Structures are given as C-alpha cells and as structure tokens.
Amino acid sequence: MSLAKWTVGLLAGMSMLALAAPADAGEVRVTVAEYSAKTGPYFEAVKKEFEAANPGITIKYEVVPWDVLLQKLTTDITAGTNADLSIIGTRWLIDFVQQDVAEPLDSYITPEFKDRFIDTFLQPSIMDGHTYGLPIAASARAMYYNKELFEKAGIAKPPATWTELQEDARKIKAVGAFGYGLQGKEIETDVYYYYAMWSFGTEILNKDGTSGLSTPGALEAAKLYKSMIDEGLTEPGATSNSREDVQNLFKQGKVGMMITAPFLSNQIKEEAPNLKYGVAAIPAGPTGARGTYGVTDSIIMFKNSKNKDEAWKLLDFLFTKEQRAKFTQGEGFLPVNKEEAKMDYYVNNADLAAFTALLPDARFAPVIPGWEEIAQITSDAMQKIYLGSAEPEAALKDAAAKADAVLKKK
C-alpha cells in the first residue's frame, strides 16, 4: 500500500478512533512483528511471566509477518480496531505521529527509565521533543564472508574497498561459487543499494532536502552493481532473491560475500554450524567513505488505547535488562539497554563487536513523511537496472524526480 493511500485511509478513519470497541478491563492487546520462529514463543513466555506478576492484567498477542504488518495496521487503525501496543518500523513513526494516532510516552518515562537506553537507538523515536516509541529491536549491517571460499580462491583477507571486492568476487567465481550475494527483491532492496551509494559519497537526501539519486555517486554505485551482475559475479537472477534467499545461499556455502544483519550469525550457528565465516566492515569507496545501515524498530502505544496504564506496565517489563537479553539474544539483534550491553554475551562476541564498531558510520532511514513510498521508488529503479530494462542514468533520474515529487508534497 502506498503512503498516499495509507494517509487517506488514516484520515478517513480518524473519526472512527473514538468508536473503537471497548477493551476488556485490564486487557492489553499487542500487535507483534514476527522476526523469526522464536518471536511468538518469546512473547508467550512474557505473557505467562507478566500475568503471574500482575494479577488482573491479561495480555493478548497477535503475531504478524513483517511483509503485511503496515497494511494490517492501516486497516485496523482505519476501522478503530487496532491494539493498544504495536511493534512498527521506526521509519513509519512520523506518519503515525502526524496522523495523531501515536500516544506520547513522556508522562510515563522517568529519568531512570530513559537512562536504561543507549541513546543512539532511542533518538529515532523522539520527535519535536516528545518520545513516541521505544526501540524494541536494533541492528546494523556488515559484510559476511566465507573463509573456506576465500582460502580456496587464494584471498588472504576481506576486501577493504569495492574495487577489491570485485577482484575477490572474480576469484571466488573462478572456484565455482557466487562471488557477491546481491539482494534484489522485497524489504531493504533499496538499502542494499545504499551500501555502495554511501561509499561513493552520496546521501539519500541532498543537503537541500532533494533526492540524492541523481548524483554522480549514486550513478557510480548503480553501475558497480550492474557490472557485477553482467560479469556473473553475483548469484543469477538477483531480482528474484530476497534478503532471506541470499542468506540461505550463504549458509549453504554458495556465496563468498554478502551484507546483512547480526541475526545471520545466530542462523549460521543453528542451521550451518560447520560453516566457517567472518564478519568485516562494508567496503569503502574511492575517497574512503563508507556507511552501514542502522535500524531500529519501535513499539508504540496507540492514542485510543483504553488501558494505557496497564500497557505501560508491560512496556516497563519488556525493557528490563533480563527481558531485553532474552529477546535480543534469541533474535540476534544489538542491545539497546546499557546494562544488557555490558553482559559477557556481547562483550565477548566477536561477530557483534564487528557490528558495534560500525555504529559511528551508521545511517538511519530519513525521518520524513512518505519515506516508504520513496524507498519503493528506489527499489523499483534498482530492479529495472539489475534486469537491464533501463539504463542506470535514466532510471536514477526518473526515480529522483518521483522521489522529489513525494518530498514536495510533504
């Protein structure tokens, strides 16, 4: 669903918020985004533990796949049947705030509660001085590489630059594997392009607030990826492969290098324990520039919740050190809680240390209205370039014009 349609739907449904069916006294309904097969069981354990400690309050969860979550929330908000709390992509938050459906949490947040958080991950949910969400999940991106394929191809260390990555991908191709795993479908297809784009000195938005897609650096990054596809250095049919598809190829030992999140480490340990791999920084561009994608997902309270005090008690419980550790370690994310970050699990984990080291170079999705629509415009352009149905320069200029049109509406 486009952001334009989503906004119209919200506006049409605003008058219905007051008509939402009354919740049962003491019941807190939560829409949970499904991260993995562990998500549902974790929240069921929370329900059991929380209800035992808080007689009179019951928790009701609905676990929803990420790819349909925004559409479901839009439908529920419009109908006035939304839950009390929901996990959302933080990049959606500005639209929820502008449509006045997100409850500010400032009256609940004490200085002690706020001090639990690593500020980097709390900041994206603060708008106009008000905190509208709490970082339920945090992540960054780094490059995974297959050590056995590197050894077989005679590669001594992970590439420091994109030029080196291309050279290494050729060597890996020569020993019968795919050099570089390139995502070209579904969530974060645009982000997979930004890794190279940032390295070539381009930002998503120019300083004047216009799209960065028509800049020279954006074009160089697109040409880089297209040349790797044309040379057969990526897996075939990149536009048919989602992030999960490329990760599966990596776990099978078929891909030499790919960029993704910390949770792949957990998957490898469970699904491919014999795979020898390393984690390194995303390659730099010609001037040494590089960037990783910093991501937070937030949990928010809806303004029409009938049980806000009970909902806050659940939030307070979810953000204790113990609960954060269970969730974060189970799903393979980075810690957002300061005390949790001091635990041996993180301090002594080389994979997570590699991701944490990249946080100073992290970019977050721009906090602007219409961001999802702009991200989709970028993904569509990249697919055309990868497929060869449009020349990189023409596709990017067209995408930049469309993105600028969205930006001007806001």
Side-chain angles (χ1 to χ4, degrees):
M1 177 178 290
S2 74
L3 254 289
K5 291 181 180 177
W6 179 70
T7 301
V8 170
L10 276 182
L11 288 171
M14 283 300 296
S15 62
M16 300 185 69
L17 286 175
L19 304 178
D24 293 336
E27 181 183 79
V28 178
R29 294 169 52 229
V30 188
T31 300
V32 172
E34 185 175 41
Y35 292 96
S36 73
K38 295 181 178 180
T39 307
Y42 165 75
F43 279 98
E44 284 303 318
V46 166
K47 169 182 168 68
K48 185 176 181 180
E49 190 174 344
F50 179 82
E51 289 180 352
N54 295 272
I57 303 178
T58 57
I59 308 299
K60 185 176 180 181
Y61 292 116
E62 183 175 9
V63 180
V64 181
W66 266 108
D67 59 351
V68 297
L69 178 60
L70 182 56
Q71 183 176 356
K72 175 181 170 48
L73 290 175
T74 303
T75 301
D76 289 352
I77 291 167
T78 302
T81 58
N82 55 278
D84 300 280
L85 302 170
S86 181
I87 294 175
I88 68 166
T90 305
R91 60 196 181 277
W92 308 339
L93 184 55
I94 190 168
D95 292 291
F96 283 93
V97 171
Q98 289 194 341
Q99 299 305 327
D100 200 32
V101 296
E103 175 75 9
L105 302 176
D106 308 276
S107 62
Y108 296 100
I109 295 175
T110 64
E112 292 77 18
F113 181 85
K114 187 175 182 180
D115 194 52
R116 295 180 192 178
F117 295 91
I118 296 170
D119 192 57
T120 300
F121 296 129
L122 184 61
Q123 282 301 315
S125 293
I126 300 175
M127 298 178 188
D128 297 325
H130 296 291
T131 303
Y132 288 95
L134 301 173
I136 194 73
S139 181
R141 304 291 183 262
M143 191 180 74
Y144 287 75
Y145 61 99
N146 184 311
K147 290 184 175 181
E148 288 188 346
L149 287 177
F150 268 45
E151 184 177 352
K152 191 174 180 182
I155 304 169
K157 59 183 179 179
T161 67
W162 286 101
T163 299
E164 290 179 11
L165 184 144
Q166 274 187 291
E167 294 170 355
D168 291 345
R170 294 184 184 106
K171 295 174 183 177
I172 293 168
K173 178 188 177 184
V175 298
F178 306 130
Y180 179 65
L182 177 60
Q183 175 190 334
K185 181 175 86 164
E186 296 178 4
I187 187 171
E188 290 192 14
T189 292
D190 61 317
V191 176
Y192 220 95
Y193 164 60
Y194 302 147
Y195 302 137
M197 192 179 81
W198 287 324
S199 300
F200 281 89
T202 286
E203 300 296 335
I204 295 171
L205 297 180
N206 297 319
K207 290 182 180 180
D208 63 1
T210 58
S211 171
L213 291 175
S214 61
T215 62
L219 180 59
E220 288 305 309
K223 286 181 175 178
L224 168 71
Y225 276 5
K226 180 64 169 118
S227 70
M228 292 177 71
I229 291 171
D230 291 345
E231 200 177 333
L233 304 182
T234 71
E235 82 284 4
T239 56
S240 298
N241 289 317
S242 67
R243 178 176 66 189
E244 286 67 30
D245 294 328
V246 181
Q247 288 176 170
N248 287 336
L249 288 172
F250 187 86
K251 285 180 282 190
Q252 294 163 13
K254 296 178 179 178
V255 168
M257 298 169 282
M258 75 166 295
I259 299 171
T260 191
F263 45 69
L264 180 58
S265 295
N266 276 18
Q267 294 178 22
I268 291 171
K269 288 178 177 65
E270 294 179 6
E271 301 170 32
N274 296 323
L275 184 71
K276 295 178 181 176
Y277 72 98
V279 180
I282 292 170
T287 65
R290 74 171 85 235
T292 185
Y293 186 51
V295 183
T296 64
D297 298 323
S298 298
I299 186 165
I300 67 168
M301 184 188 298
F302 285 105
K303 188 160 278 191
N304 65 336
S305 167
K306 299 295 190 295
N307 293 316
K308 291 176 182 172
D309 290 344
E310 293 89 340
W312 177 257
K313 282 188 177 181
L314 177 59
L315 289 177
D316 187 33
F317 181 79
L318 287 172
F319 286 93
T320 57
K321 172 186 171 182
E322 294 74 21
Q323 289 302 323
R324 294 307 305 157
K326 290 177 186 176
F327 179 79
T328 306
Q329 293 173 23
E331 298 288 1
F333 292 125
L334 298 177
V336 302
N337 179 295
K338 291 177 184 175
E339 292 303 313
E340 178 195 2
K342 297 175 185 176
M343 296 172 67
D344 287 346
Y345 178 89
Y346 303 100
V347 175
N348 299 322
N349 188 317
D351 288 356
L352 292 178
F355 283 94
T356 303
L358 294 176
L359 288 177
D361 293 321
R363 272 87 155 174
F364 291 83
V367 183
I368 54 173
W371 169 245
E372 289 297 315
E373 191 173 353
I374 293 170
Q376 189 59 55
I377 289 168
T378 306
S379 294
D380 292 345
M382 299 321 299
Q383 287 190 320
K384 291 176 183 176
I385 292 169
Y386 298 162
L387 287 168
S389 61
E391 290 298 316
E393 187 170 9
L396 289 174
K397 282 187 176 179
D398 179 60
K402 289 177 180 176
D404 284 340
V406 174
L407 291 164
K408 288 176 184 175
K409 290 178 189 175
K410 308 304 176 183

